[in-house]
């Protein structure tokens, strides 16, 4: 669609900033930040347009936008705005990236540069909680902020960075669970924020699937099946299990959300798995009894019931209560 607004003429997010520069509204759209926030950053931290202009409407040049983009990323990563502004102003953004590869490298630099800032962040200094996160670390706050602003790219990158540095299990327990619980709490208290849950869930799934995609040369000859119980939509823990297993070179097949019991039985028949893990958060009457027939199938799989939705389980089906437990039991069952 054509527009008479010169800002819209810029088009793609990665398009270069045109010579006369961008208006505050155009920069706001490009970075996904409110115009009022940009004005505050200009007033408080001097992160405004640097080009001299005689007119009243000053325009942001390419370097100004790169600096603001860095500011936005640092804030999304959990830095206090004043610290982020100091870092943005002292960073050389002249080689600011416009292609994906450079952007990725840039992100890693930024993230590493942030570590000392995080160490300094305590109490109200780190402020700006967007959801109730009483004991949140800066990275938890950063991911929560990115989720609340529906910035799926930032969410995925934050999760990926954490996985790369600390691994899947640490990231799940220390970054993802606190933010997911906080977002869930927000929904419970206000009835709002389903869109935040969706953006966060998609980003988490994507980052965790990235770990699985890198797996080559799996050590298990028989498959491991991971499925949600019938009508269960909370599939994220399955992706966490699958990614944590991939780190140990165990390949798993995620059957995903809402797997009817008959479909699960058919999948077991077709693939002959060594382990079947069935996840339930919400729980449905009679679901646990259905599991009883699975260990009798041939070749016999180890059957694990995971999550808080199960009630009393049939004999011989252990209840798995956390990610570490899930990974340990599956690793043991496949002999790793
Ligand atoms: C993301 C999310 C969604 C997404 C799911 C997307 C996806 N692909 O997974 C969507 C938007 C689809 C969704 C839908 C719904 N959701 Co929802 N959702 C969540 C949220 C925010 C995270 C879910 C999650 O991944 N949890 C995993 C971890 C973070 O859960 P946890 O409680 O910390 O974990 C405990 C254990 O499970 C265990 N654990 C933690 N990690 C792991 C890993 C493994 C492998 C194991 C074995 C154990 C384990 O340790 C913890 C301590 O016990 C939760 C909030 C929350 N507290 O979890 C709500 C939450 C689970 N949802 C809830 C509800 C009510 C719903 C809906 C019914 C809402 C509606 N009216 O439509 C629907 C439908 C659900 C259905 N039929 O399945 C409630 C459930 C309340 C209850 N117990 O009954 C929660 C708790 C929100 C709340 N605070 O009220 N949801």
């Amino acid at each position: 669609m054509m527009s008479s607004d010169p800002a819209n003429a810029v088009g793609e997010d990665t398009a270069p900033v045109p010579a006369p520069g961008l208006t505050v509204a155009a920069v706001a759209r490009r970075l996904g930040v409110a115009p009022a926030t940009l004005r505050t950053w200009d007033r408080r931290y001097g992160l405004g347009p640097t080009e001299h202009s005689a007119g009243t409407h000053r325009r942001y040049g390419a370097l100004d936008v790169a600096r603001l983009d860095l500011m936005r990323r640092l804030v999304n990563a959990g830095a206090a705005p004043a610290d982020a502004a100091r870092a943005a102003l002292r960073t050389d953004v002249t080689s600011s990236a416009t292609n994906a590869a450079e952007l990725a490298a840039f992100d890693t630099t930024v993230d590493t540069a942030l570590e000392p800032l995080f160490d300094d962040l305590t109490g109200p200094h780190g402020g700006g909680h967007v959801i109730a996160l009483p004991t949140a670390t800066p990275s938890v706050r950063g991911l929560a902020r990115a989720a609340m602003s529906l910035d799926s790219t930032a969410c995925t990158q934050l999760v990926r960075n954490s996985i790369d540095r600390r691994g899947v299990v640490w990231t799940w327990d220390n970054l993802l669970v606190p933010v997911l619980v906080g977002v869930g709490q927000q929904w419970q208290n206000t009835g709002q924020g389903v869109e935040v849950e969706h953006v966060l869930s998609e980003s988490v799934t994507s980052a965790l699937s990235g770990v699985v995609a890198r797996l080559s040369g799996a050590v298990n000859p028989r498959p491991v099946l991971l499925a949600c119980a019938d009508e269960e939509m909370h599939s994220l823990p399955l992706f966490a299990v699958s990614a944590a297993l991939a780190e140990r070179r165990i390949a798993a097949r995620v059957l995903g959300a809402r797997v009817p019991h008959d479909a699960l039985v058919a999948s077991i028949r077709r693939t002959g798995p060594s382990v079947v893990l069935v996840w339930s958060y919400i729980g449905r009457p009679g679901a646990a009894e259905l599991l009883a027939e699975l260990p009798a199938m041939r070749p016999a799989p180890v059957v694990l019931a995971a999550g808080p939705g199960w009630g009393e389980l049939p004999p011989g089906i252990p209840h798995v209560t956390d990610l570490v437990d899930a990974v340990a039991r599956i690793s043991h069952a496949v002999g790793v």
Side-chain angles (χ1 to χ4, degrees), residues 172 180-181 184 188 197 231 233-236 279 281 321-322:
W172 177 257
L180 288 166
V181 170
Q188 198 178 8
E197 284 187 16
E231 294 305 327
M233 288 171 68
H234 299 97
S235 57
L236 289 181
W279 168 264
Y281 203 124
T321 54
D322 61 35

Side-chain angles (χ1 to χ4, degrees), residues 75-81 126-130 140-150:
V75 169
N76 276 348
H129 294 189
V130 284
V140 166
R141 281 199 300 273
L143 181 60
R145 275 199 197 113
M148 292 300 275
S149 54
L150 304 180

Side-chain angles (χ1 to χ4, degrees), residues 172-173 176-189 194 197-198 200-202 205 228 230-241 257-258 277 279-283 305-308 319-327:
W172 177 257
D173 285 340
L176 299 177
V177 168
V179 178
L180 288 166
V181 170
V183 167
Q185 200 62 50
Q186 172 91 341
W187 173 83
Q188 198 178 8
N189 295 343
V194 172
E197 284 187 16
H198 282 300
L200 185 59
S201 302
E202 289 303 316
T205 305
C228 280
D230 197 0
E231 294 305 327
E232 178 60 64
M233 288 171 68
H234 299 97
S235 57
L236 289 181
L238 298 184
F239 289 95
V241 174
R258 304 173 96 163
L277 178 143
W279 168 264
S280 169
Y281 203 124
I282 300 286
H319 185 217
V320 180
T321 54
D322 61 35
L323 181 55
V324 172
D325 189 21
V327 173

Side-chain angles (χ1 to χ4, degrees), residues 100-132:
E102 285 173 337
L103 212 58
F106 187 59
D107 274 349
T108 314
T109 322
V110 168
D111 219 31
T112 314
L114 262 178
E115 296 268 14
L117 284 179
F118 285 165
D119 291 342
D120 290 346
L121 293 170
T122 50
H125 187 51
H129 294 189
V130 284
I131 54 176

